[in-house]
Every structure is written in structure tokens, then in C-alpha cells.
Amino acid sequence: MTEDTPAVPSSGGAAEPGGWWRDAVIYQVYVRSFADSDGDGVGDLPGVRSRLPYLAALGVDALWLTPFYVSPMADFGYDVADYRDVDPLFGTLDDARALIADAHARGLRIIVDVVPNHTSDRHAWFRAALAAPPGSAERARYVFRDGRGPDGAEPPNDWTSVFGGPAWTRVPDGQWYLHLFAAEQPDLNWENPEVHDEFASILRFWLDLGADGFRVDVAHGMAKAPGLPDVGHGNQTEMLGTAVLPYFDQDPVHEIHREWRRLLDAYGGERIAVAEAWAPTPERLAAYTRPDELHQAFNFHYLTAPWDASRMREVIAESLRTADAVGAPATWVLSNHDVKRHVTRYGGGEAGLRRARAAALLTLALPGSSYVYQGEELGLPEVLDLPEEFQQDPQRRRGGGTGRDGCRVPLPWDGEEPPFGFGAGPASWLPMPTAWRDLTVAAQRGDPGSMLALYREALRVRRDHPALGGGRLSWLDGPPGTLSFVRTGTDTGTGGGRRLGCAVNLGERAARVPLPGTPLLASGPYQADGGAAELPPDTALWWDVPEDG
Ligand code: GLC
């Protein structure tokens, strides 16, 4: 396929029956690190636009663009100062319009990020809040409180920031404001109707501009327990995503999502929202995707599962069961801009790469919608040895854990030296390893054994095969350490029809798995004979199950 061939039938973002999002493959563009059009070392919207042919040829259905709005970049754009304009670093509003139009012309939908839990401390609202006295309407848009102890010198409660340290900062008149992330990211007060109105207007702004939906940042935040009670015990950083905290996954947050769903449904063209929600159980996560709430939620239980067959099977089965119970598609995510890249998580080096190849086939065979984080299609590892002066992530600077810079290193496109065609300038904002010369798009494009070739082929089969995308999964018996299942698509029902088999060996020894059909695609070498395959460790195989198979 040449890169100029639209890989997906052009939809122009128009309404289509059947819910395009139920089995969409959505590619996450971390705009800052994707492609730099003006040589300043930072990716931008025209850069993304120039690489649309690559994305269309890869065969994804939609792009999720991380925040490109006006921001002082204390958290690289997740601190928004103006939700209705583009930061000059990333381009202009016209660039956003042009990108959306070009993407639609190629059959790619565009999902933009919305950050409703907090604004930047440079947002006009927060500046006004600081200038206004305690008790004012300006302060009521945020969470200001008096402190505890003599002179109110202690924070109002014991909440800690996700990025480390107290979740409160004191202002000169003695009050404190809440920030669940960096001090430059004050939390909004979602009990204030003005905040609801403002975000409804922001959503409309981007929908009117042509966006096909939103990725909702910290969708489990926003609602805080009444009275802001102490957590009282435990290391709160370790409790994130494993317990309901008085500031995360509070039930009233679902009211906000219902309100947003009504707004989205009022627009044509099946505009969607996907929740970035860290919920303690798959059940609580699925609650974000009840029929009157958001369309999808990232499946972080899958992302955090170890490379272990029984644990993976448990997570997959539980995710399917809970998503099914609310009529939502399951989603599958292996990496994003906040976590260590999965090649490295799965062990790094040759083994990590082999497992990532097998994981790609496993993930893309599962029923529902899949996310691909930029660079995973190239097999990029985490960059673990970034020089100190480049490590800028507020999470690391505040002591809240390892930095996330290593998964945000820009993409290598072509050439023999950094910055590998990322931009015309001499350097990229995070330096790229020289070893990435073998991982560039250009280096992989002509190599049928490359990770890029595997993703392209898997996405092509997924698009063409009636059993992939939506539909069902039935587990097959297999040796320990392996996963095997057969897929039926939405159109094929349970009997007859073409089906697709998938087997993955996550164990340490070669395993014999049934192969009742014709092999379609494998993540690595294997032997097949007489209705069975000998799969080496860390290898996945897809096969076609004939109509009567
Ligand atoms: C989300 C984003 C992350 C950001 C945080 C605060 O988790 O994915 O990058 O730091 O929200 O907005």
C-alpha cells in the first residue's frame, strides 16, 4: 500500500449507523513529540497534518490529540490557560481546522483532549480568584479553604497530590487552594454551575470546529466527597486506582458525564467521549460507560497486567464481562504518555520486543476498541537514560514517582542521526537515542519483519476480517502459559460465518496449540503440522477458521 492511499473509507466525520467507536483503533498522538514543522524541536499541529498519509496508511480509524491549547506547559499542556485557542508552540486555530479537515478527508476521525478537573494557574479565572478576597464568586470556581491549626497554617486536610507532596498551596491572604496535581493546576469546583456552563461551552466550541469527540482527562476527578474529609491513613500514591478516595471515583462524578453525554448526543455524527478514569475495579470502571454516560473508558487493568497467561486471561474476561454488562465496548491499551512503554515493561531488549509483537496481535484480536500510542508501532522502548537536565516531568520534580519523559521522546522518522526527521531543527526537545536509527519509520517501512510491518498487516487483517473488531470471544483449551480463543464478529453471530483464532504463548517454553484452520499472521517464527502449531515463547498466531470449522 502506498502512503497516499486512504486506508479507511472516507466518512468526513459524518454519522454512520452502528457506532464506529465500538471497534475503532484509535492512535494517540502526543503532539509535542510527533512531528515538528517549524524546526523549534517541539512537535506541532502542522507537523501532525504533514504525517496524516503515514497514519492513514497505518490503517487506524481515529487520532486522539493530546492537549495543544494555550498553556504555560507546567504539565506539558495538561495545565490549560485558554481552552478555546491553540498554543503558539503548536500552531494556530486555523492549523487545528486544517488538520481536522484533512484528517476527515482521509477517513480519520479526530478526538481532542479536554481537561476539566483543573485549569492552569495562569487561566483568567484563577488569576481573578487570586485577586479577589476569600468568599468571593471568583474563588468559588476553585476549591479555596481556610487552613487548620493555629493561624490556619496547616493544610485544610491530608490529601496528597498525585505528583507528590501536599495537594494544597497557601496564598498570601492565608487561604489554601486544592491541586490534585501540580501547584500550577488548581482544581475546579464542580459544585459551581458556572463551571458546568463553561465546559459545556468549551465542548461545543470544539464540536463546532469538527472534533469527533473528547478524551476526558482525569474523568474520575472533579467530584469531591462532601466536607473534603481526610483520607486518614495509607500512602495515597499507592492507593491511586486501587481504592475509592475522597477525591477520586466519587459517585456524583457520573452526573457530570451524563450531562456531557446529553450534549454529545445532541450533535450529529456520533461524537464520542472516552474517560481517562483510574477506578479500583473493572466494575467501577464500566460505570463510566453506562448507556447514558461516556462511550469508552481506558482499560488500565489491561495495561497494568503482567506478561502472564492466567492474569491476562482473568483481566480480559473480567473486562469483557463488565463492559458487556453496561452494553459498552471493552477497550485495550498497552501504553500511553503517562506510563513506561510496554516493550520495556515486558522485560526490554529482545524479549521485550518479542512480547510487544505478540501483545499487538493479542490486543488487536480482542473484541472492542484498541488504542495505539505513537511509537508502539515502531517498537520504541522507554528511554531510560535521559540526561538529568532534560527530565522535566512535574511528577518527578515533585517526588511523586518516576518521570514520564522517557515515554515521550519524539518519534524517529528517517535518516541516520537524531533528530531523525522529527523536525528541520538541529535537536528535539527530548534527545533521541542514536540507536533509534534502526527504528525509524523509513528503516522499517521496507522490512517485512519489522514491527511497523506487523502493525500494518494486523490492522489490515482486522479491517478486512469479519470476525475482528466487535463481536465475541470464546476461549479454547490450551497448554499452561498460553491463551487461545476464537473470535466471531458482530455479523457472523455464533454459528457459521468466518471466524478467527488467536493463540499466544506467554510462557517460557514452546507450547503446542491447536491450529484448526489456515494461518493468517504470526508475531514470530513457529512450526505448524497436522492441525496444531508449535509456538515458541512470546509468540502469537492468528488463523482463519473456515465457515464450517
Ligand atoms: C492525566 C494525563 C497526565 C496529566 C494528568 C493531569 O493523567 O494523562 O499526563 O499529567 O492527567 O492533568
Side-chain angles (χ1 to χ4, degrees), residues 75 78 115 118 163 181 185 215 217-218 276 337-338 404 408:
D75 188 18
Y78 283 97
V115 186
H118 43 262
F163 291 162
F181 293 86
Q185 293 166 296
R215 177 263 188 189
D217 188 64
V218 196
E276 187 225 11
H337 65 293
D338 291 330
R404 298 167 295 176
R408 298 173 176 179

Side-chain angles (χ1 to χ4, degrees), residues 103-146:
H104 284 171
R106 290 184 181 275
L108 294 165
R109 289 183 164 87
I110 296 281
I111 291 171
V112 299
D113 223 306
V114 62
V115 186
N117 181 71
H118 43 262
T119 68
S120 159
D121 61 345
R122 312 276 179 84
H123 189 284
W125 273 12
F126 195 71
R127 288 169 171 247
L130 288 183
S136 58
E138 286 83 356
R139 287 213 174 170
R141 293 165 177 154
Y142 292 91
V143 186
F144 278 87
R145 291 289 185 280
D146 293 331

Side-chain angles (χ1 to χ4, degrees), residues 351-370:
L353 201 60
R354 258 195 335 265
R355 290 174 181 165
R357 291 177 65 90
L361 292 197
L362 169 62
T363 304
L364 292 171
L366 295 171
S369 173
S370 277

Side-chain angles (χ1 to χ4, degrees), residues 68-211:
F68 49 79
Y69 317 113
V70 177
S71 166
M73 308 288 165
D75 188 18
F76 297 106
Y78 283 97
D79 48 321
V80 182
D82 181 351
Y83 289 82
R84 295 182 186 80
D85 206 353
V86 174
D87 195 279
L89 197 58
F90 297 134
T92 63
L93 258 188
D94 277 339
D95 291 330
R97 280 193 194 95
L99 170 58
I100 293 173
D102 277 13
H104 284 171
R106 290 184 181 275
L108 294 165
R109 289 183 164 87
I110 296 281
I111 291 171
V112 299
D113 223 306
V114 62
V115 186
N117 181 71
H118 43 262
T119 68
S120 159
D121 61 345
R122 312 276 179 84
H123 189 284
W125 273 12
F126 195 71
R127 288 169 171 247
L130 288 183
S136 58
E138 286 83 356
R139 287 213 174 170
R141 293 165 177 154
Y142 292 91
V143 186
F144 278 87
R145 291 289 185 280
D146 293 331
R148 296 200 284 206
D151 306 325
E154 300 293 320
N157 67 22
D158 69 354
W159 296 0
T160 59
S161 148
V162 173
F163 291 162
W168 297 90
T169 289
R170 201 169 195 196
V171 300
D173 60 35
Q175 276 208 313
W176 297 75
Y177 69 89
L178 177 68
H179 53 87
L180 292 177
F181 293 86
E184 296 90 343
Q185 293 166 296
D187 275 53
L188 285 161
N189 170 19
W190 276 87
E191 288 178 9
N192 186 337
E194 223 188 315
V195 173
H196 289 246
D197 292 349
E198 175 64 3
F199 273 86
S201 148
I202 292 164
L203 296 187
R204 285 200 193 92
F205 179 86
W206 289 101
L207 293 170
D208 289 340
L209 216 93

